[in-house]
């Protein structure tokens, strides 16, 4: 193939910035041989809502990314673990309110979370329920280790407890509030706003106070340990005050619904001590096939909402240290979702039901919205306007239309991946065009650009970069009015094929990189483009325009897929939005 000199220069310039800085920019490039990411296990006292889905999708996107990054390497394993937290007072109270046996109640609600996993395409490798036998064994074994190591003692616990948070609250974190109607004064947790109850009973206590320094050092030893930095700073500030011992059991007469304390059936294990161990349960703790569980532990990342950061980044490392186990590598924390800028709550009636929303915007549409709109360190806002307008603009107009435009029969009658004619004189002329140069340049940098974004859970930045490329393709295609070019004229045909080749390459790379975000849509687009299943890894997105560099582009000449369905149908606006919009006019 003859290559124009302008094209060669362009490609060389683009490559220079890629290879040299590679290792320095991405020290973790070869890091993972396996990857283990977790979501919190969700309380079954209520059904899945948008917040639960968001955490789970973050974990899924991250796990899919790790898989596609390592698809062609010696990468061994990649696991996403989620599940349900089924013990404790609030679950018991919810079951009682329905006059149901707690286990039957848990079975029902847990199933709804499993359904969420399925509907939203979460690639979970395990689903832990804390009422499972394997989990009981893990919790009891873990307790015994901590006890053997001398970190559990029996003591009188006196203090304030929040049932909705299943947490003990220290004096400094309490404030007084007056009931507007009865005038009664009561204590609430400053952090969650939940009302507190006085608790006084003989409990097993955990020597959390022994771990203030070690927990602080663990956080300090890696700037990414607790991510993002806003939450890390908050924790380090809190850790300036020495930790106090905490109760890790409840009297069976008060909380019968839990794992029995080993050797003392008059007590049940505190629900958080129990729940956190699920991360070990999934790793096969205490044993896998008669050998130690260790190959999955420690976890690479625990993803949690800010409300439970302290449990994961203070209590959990302390428990693990006490049991003599390794600590997780990272805790990633996200802020909360609001609905129309207000806290979601049952009483306000603005809790977003993910299943209902997905019925109108599709599960992939909701995935896309959450990952594009969600920013780790800031509260995220859900609004129908943002949802519908965003999906119509990005998925229906930009991505969907672009794909549709370049794949029509008139432009590509042979229905094969284009590219053969580049190198002819008219193609040279094409490469001097700014809109084409811009597409080539941005496609060649895209995979490299988004790696730190995806690695650090800034998926929205990755999405924005990808959509920018899609927009550039649309600009290029519109500018050159490709639909007016005639195949019967050899010069015009060469030009057309050059523009098409650039468009297909762009859409191929963009779709590969969208797989962690919208796996089904991306896979649909890749199949339309005729990209084989084994050519969809990060490596494949790193290579583009191969035939222009004198190499063999294995895509060129490949038959396209047959499915001509639109990628994403334009959404009809719900009545609430059309009324608002017509009122505004
Ligand atoms: N069962 C505990 C976790 C134990 S993990 C060992 C628990 N469960 S929960 O059902 O309350 O779920 C909490 C998680 O759901 C939060 O940490 C967060 O991940 C997610 N969210 C709940 N509400 C949320 C929002 N409004 N917005 C975003 N996520 C939130 O705590």
């Amino acid at each position: 193939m003859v290559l124009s000199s302008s094209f060669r220069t362009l490609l060389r310039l683009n490559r220079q910035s890629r290879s040299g800085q590679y290792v320095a920019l991405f020290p973790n490039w070869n890091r993972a041989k396996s990857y283990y990411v977790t979501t919190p296990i969700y309380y079954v006292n209520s059904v899945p809502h948008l917040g639960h889905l968001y955490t789970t999708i973050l974990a899924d996107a991250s796990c899919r990314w790790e898989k596609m990054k390592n698809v062609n390497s010696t990468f061994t394993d990649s696991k996403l673990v989620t599940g349900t937290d089924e013990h404790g007072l609030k679950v018991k109270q919810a079951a009682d309110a329905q006059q149901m046996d707690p286990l039957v109640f848990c079975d029902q609600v847990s199933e709804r979370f499993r359904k969420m996993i399925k509907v939203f395409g979460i690639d979970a490798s395990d689903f832990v329920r804390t009422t499972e036998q394997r989990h009981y064994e893990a919790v009891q074994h873990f307790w015994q280790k901590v006890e053997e190591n001398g970190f559990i003692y029996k003591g009188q616990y006196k203090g304030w407890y929040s049932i909705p948070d299943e947490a003990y609250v220290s004096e400094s974190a309490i404030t007084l509030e007056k009931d507007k109607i009865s005038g009664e004064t009561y204590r609430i947790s400053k952090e969650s706003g939940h009302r507190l109850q006085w608790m006084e009973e003989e409990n097993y206590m955990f020597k959390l106070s022994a771990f203030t320094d070690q927990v602080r050092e663990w956080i300090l030893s890696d700037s990414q340990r607790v991510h993002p930095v806003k939450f890390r700073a908050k924790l380090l500030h809190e850790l300036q005050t020495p930790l106090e011992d905490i109760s890790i059991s409840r009297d069976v007469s008060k909380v019968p619904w839990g794992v029995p304390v080993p050797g003392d059936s008059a007590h049940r294990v505190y629900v958080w001590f129990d729940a956190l161990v699920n991360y070990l349960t999934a790793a096969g703790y205490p044993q896998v096939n008669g050998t130690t569980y260790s190959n999955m532990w420690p976890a690479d990342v625990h993803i949690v909402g800010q409300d439970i950061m302290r449990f994961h980044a203070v209590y959990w490392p302390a428990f693990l240290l006490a049991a003599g186990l390794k600590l997780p590598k990272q805790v990633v924390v996200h802020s909360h979702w609001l609905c129309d800028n207000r806290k979601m709550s049952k009483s306000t009636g603005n809790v977003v039901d993910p299943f209902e929303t997905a019925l109108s915007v599709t599960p992939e549409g909701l995935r896309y919205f959450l990952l594009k709109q969600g920013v780790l360190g800031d509260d995220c806002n859900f609004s129908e306007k943002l949802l519908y307008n965003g999906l119509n603009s990005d998925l229906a107009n930009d991505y969907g239309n672009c794909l549709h435009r370049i794949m029509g029969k008139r432009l590509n009658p042979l229905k094969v991946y284009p590219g053969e004619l580049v190198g002819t004189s008219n193609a040279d002329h094409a490469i001097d065009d700014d809109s084409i140069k811009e597409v080539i340049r941005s496609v060649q940098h895209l995979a490299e650009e988004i790696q730190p974004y995806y690695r650090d859970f800034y998926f929205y930045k990755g999405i924005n970069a990808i959509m920018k490329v899609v927009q550039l393709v649309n600009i290029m295609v519109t500018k050159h009015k490709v639909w007016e070019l005639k195949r019967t004229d050899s010069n015009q045909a060469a030009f057309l094929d050059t523009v098409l080749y650039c468009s297909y390459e762009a859409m191929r790379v963009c779709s590969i990189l969208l797989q962690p975000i919208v796996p089904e849509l991306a896979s649909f687009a890749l199949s339309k483009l005729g990209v084989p299943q084994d050519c969809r890894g990060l490596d494949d997105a790193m290579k583009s325009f191969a035939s222009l560099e004198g190499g063999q582009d294995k895509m060129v000449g490949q038959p396209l897929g047959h499915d001509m369905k639109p990628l994403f149908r334009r959404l009809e606006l719900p009545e609430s939005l059309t009324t608002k919009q017509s009122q505004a006019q």
Side-chain angles (χ1 to χ4, degrees), residues 32-37 76-79 279-289 291-300 325-326 329:
K33 290 282 173 276
S34 69
Y35 187 68
Y36 175 23
V37 58
T76 48
D77 212 357
S78 169
K79 289 202 186 312
Y279 303 131
L280 290 171
T281 305
Y285 179 87
Q287 283 201 324
V288 175
N289 303 331
T291 57
T292 1
Y293 69 100
S294 65
N295 61 349
M296 249 174 91
W297 191 257
D300 289 81
L325 296 177
K326 286 187 182 154
K329 293 181 200 154

Side-chain angles (χ1 to χ4, degrees), residues 40-43 49 51-52 55 85 272 275-276 278-279 304-305 307-308 312 334-337:
I41 49 171
Y42 304 112
Y43 285 129
H49 65 65
H52 301 131
T55 316
D85 190 351
W272 269 101
L276 287 161
N278 93 85
Y279 303 131
V304 300
D307 53 332
I308 55 172
H312 285 81
H334 65 79
S335 304
H336 277 184
W337 279 84

Side-chain angles (χ1 to χ4, degrees), residues 50 71 113 119 128 142 178 197 216 227 242 293 297 330 361-362 381 522 536 574-575:
L50 197 74
V71 83
F113 282 94
V119 169
V128 179
F142 187 78
K178 209 171 191 173
Q197 288 194 346
R216 197 190 305 115
H227 173 72
Y293 69 100
W297 191 257
Q330 191 179 36
V361 304
T362 75
N381 188 33
R536 299 178 180 189
E575 219 173 283

Side-chain angles (χ1 to χ4, degrees), residues 124-142:
S125 46
D126 202 348
F127 188 99
V128 179
R129 295 183 58 184
T130 55
T131 46
E132 287 173 74
Q133 185 58 30
R134 60 171 176 159
H135 180 69
Y136 270 58
E137 283 165 19
V139 172
Q140 293 195 330
H141 188 91
F142 187 78

Side-chain angles (χ1 to χ4, degrees), residues 7 10-11 13-15 17-18 434-447 449 468-469 472 502 544-545:
F7 221 143
L10 178 67
L11 290 165
L13 285 175
N14 286 346
R15 297 259 179 248
S17 63
R18 298 174 78 189
D434 280 348
S435 66
I436 296 180
K437 274 202 254 181
E438 189 60 10
V439 168
I440 293 174
R441 195 198 59 78
S442 53
V443 171
Q444 290 196 314
H445 285 96
L446 190 62
E449 182 186 350
K468 176 100 193 298
V469 174
L472 289 173
C502 293
S544 50
F545 300 101

